[in-house]
Amino acid sequence: MENSFWILNNESEDYSALDKSIDAEYLIVGAGLTGLHTAYLLSDISSNIVIVDANKVGSGSSGRNTGKVTSSHGLIYDYISQKYGDKSSKLYYEANEEGLRLIKDIVQKYNIDCNFETVPNYIFTTEDEGLEEIKKEYKVCERLGIPYEYLNNIEGFPIKIKGALKLDNQAQFDSKKYMNKLAQIICEKGVSIYENTPVLGLDTDKDEYIAKVNGDNKIKAKTVIIASSNPWHDSLGLYFSKEQAYRSYLTLSKLNKPIAKGMYINVEKP
């Protein structure tokens, strides 16, 4: 399969490529979930917002994800607490919960048909070593007030497990269908979207940024927000040296009986 399920099953509007030089208060590079939400929030305070994308709306990592909207990203909270402290770990949880509420509120406010569904998220293990990691994660979350539930088994789950963590009130949705509608909403709020418009360079001139795009065209902007999957403006951050390539595999099966509704991820790799 050359493309994701979300992209293959959702037709989106076509937005023209930028064919002239323009000015903007805010330039957002990347028309995925981050860029579209940023424009949505900024549209309350500005009427001059431009989004450009090298391809199409939601055609990058945002249109090729698992469709999970969750604050439960594997065993993350013990790791953050050890490296950055409890305050940062709790802030990570609160920020993700706020993002989940934002998407839910937008879906309800605009009645977006994107298969949005509230379900629990489970982290489980089938190994003794993984069980110790889960117990450590649970103790940290209990200390921070993150409402994980510790389980010895998952009812309706066909895999025998050693233990699991459950986080209620998480969500899943069709991310591309959601982004298609969100793009329409922000355009109605005055945001301009240009597809097939890669940024080829970024310079500064006094208190403005100048982004080079198609041909000799430029976008002058007071503020530039990089919302692309990979940073295209390095600014000596040497991001290219920190990126890693991953490959994921998908299997499809018919089951003898349904699995308990929810999202599941195991501790072990793979």
Side-chain angles (χ1 to χ4, degrees), residues 180-229:
N180 289 347
K181 183 61 179 178
L182 184 57
Q184 294 176 17
I185 291 166
I186 62 175
C187 285
E188 291 170 2
K189 290 164 71 72
V191 176
S192 299
I193 298 177
Y194 296 98
E195 294 180 329
N196 300 308
T197 304
V199 175
L200 307 174
L202 186 68
D203 295 320
T204 57
D205 181 21
K206 297 179 181 177
D207 60 344
E208 285 187 324
Y209 291 97
I210 302 174
K212 301 175 185 177
V213 290
N214 298 333
D216 294 324
N217 298 314
K218 297 179 175 65
I219 304 173
K220 290 184 179 181
K222 295 290 185 183
T223 301
V224 176
I225 298 166
I226 299 177
S228 53
S229 176

Side-chain angles (χ1 to χ4, degrees), residues 26-44 49-54 56-63 65 102-103 106 178-180 182-187 189 191-194 224-230 232:
Y26 294 95
L27 169 61
I28 300 171
V29 184
L33 287 166
T34 302
L36 295 174
H37 280 121
T38 301
Y40 175 82
L41 295 172
L42 284 174
S43 65
D44 290 334
I49 302 167
V50 171
I51 300 179
V52 296
D53 196 283
K56 291 179 65 63
V57 168
S59 64
S61 58
S62 291
N65 57 29
L102 173 64
I103 292 177
I106 292 173
Y178 172 80
M179 285 185 289
N180 289 347
L182 184 57
Q184 294 176 17
I185 291 166
I186 62 175
C187 285
K189 290 164 71 72
V191 176
S192 299
I193 298 177
Y194 296 98
V224 176
I225 298 166
I226 299 177
S228 53
S229 176
N230 299 319
W232 52 269

Side-chain angles (χ1 to χ4, degrees), residues 199-203 224 226 228 230-243:
V199 175
L200 307 174
L202 186 68
D203 295 320
V224 176
I226 299 177
S228 53
N230 299 319
W232 52 269
H233 179 61
D234 192 78
S235 190
L236 300 182
L238 302 178
Y239 299 116
F240 69 89
S241 67
K242 303 170 187 177
E243 293 179 327

Side-chain angles (χ1 to χ4, degrees), residues 33 37 69 98-108 116 173 178:
L33 287 166
H37 280 121
V69 191
E98 187 174 341
L100 196 162
R101 285 192 296 272
L102 173 64
I103 292 177
K104 185 176 182 179
D105 289 346
I106 292 173
V107 168
Q108 293 177 344
F116 187 92
F173 71 154
Y178 172 80

Side-chain angles (χ1 to χ4, degrees), residues 134-142 148-150 165:
I134 277 183
K135 287 180 177 179
K136 282 177 59 181
E137 182 82 354
Y138 179 68
K139 287 181 180 178
V140 170
C141 291
E142 193 175 34
Y148 268 119
E149 180 182 356
Y150 180 83
L165 296 176

Side-chain angles (χ1 to χ4, degrees), residues 21 29 45 73 82 91 97 122 187-188 190 199 212 216 233 242 246 248 269:
S21 294
V29 184
I45 61 171
H73 307 138
Q82 287 193 44
L91 184 63
E97 285 293 298
Y122 297 89
C187 285
E188 291 170 2
V199 175
K212 301 175 185 177
D216 294 324
H233 179 61
K242 303 170 187 177
Y246 290 92
S248 298
K269 295 185 182 300

Side-chain angles (χ1 to χ4, degrees), residues 77 81 86 89-90 93-94 97 137-149 167:
Y77 294 105
S81 287
D86 283 358
S89 191
K90 184 64 178 292
Y93 168 75
E94 292 170 347
E97 285 293 298
E137 182 82 354
Y138 179 68
K139 287 181 180 178
V140 170
C141 291
E142 193 175 34
R143 183 173 75 239
L144 298 178
I146 298 171
Y148 268 119
E149 180 182 356
L167 189 61

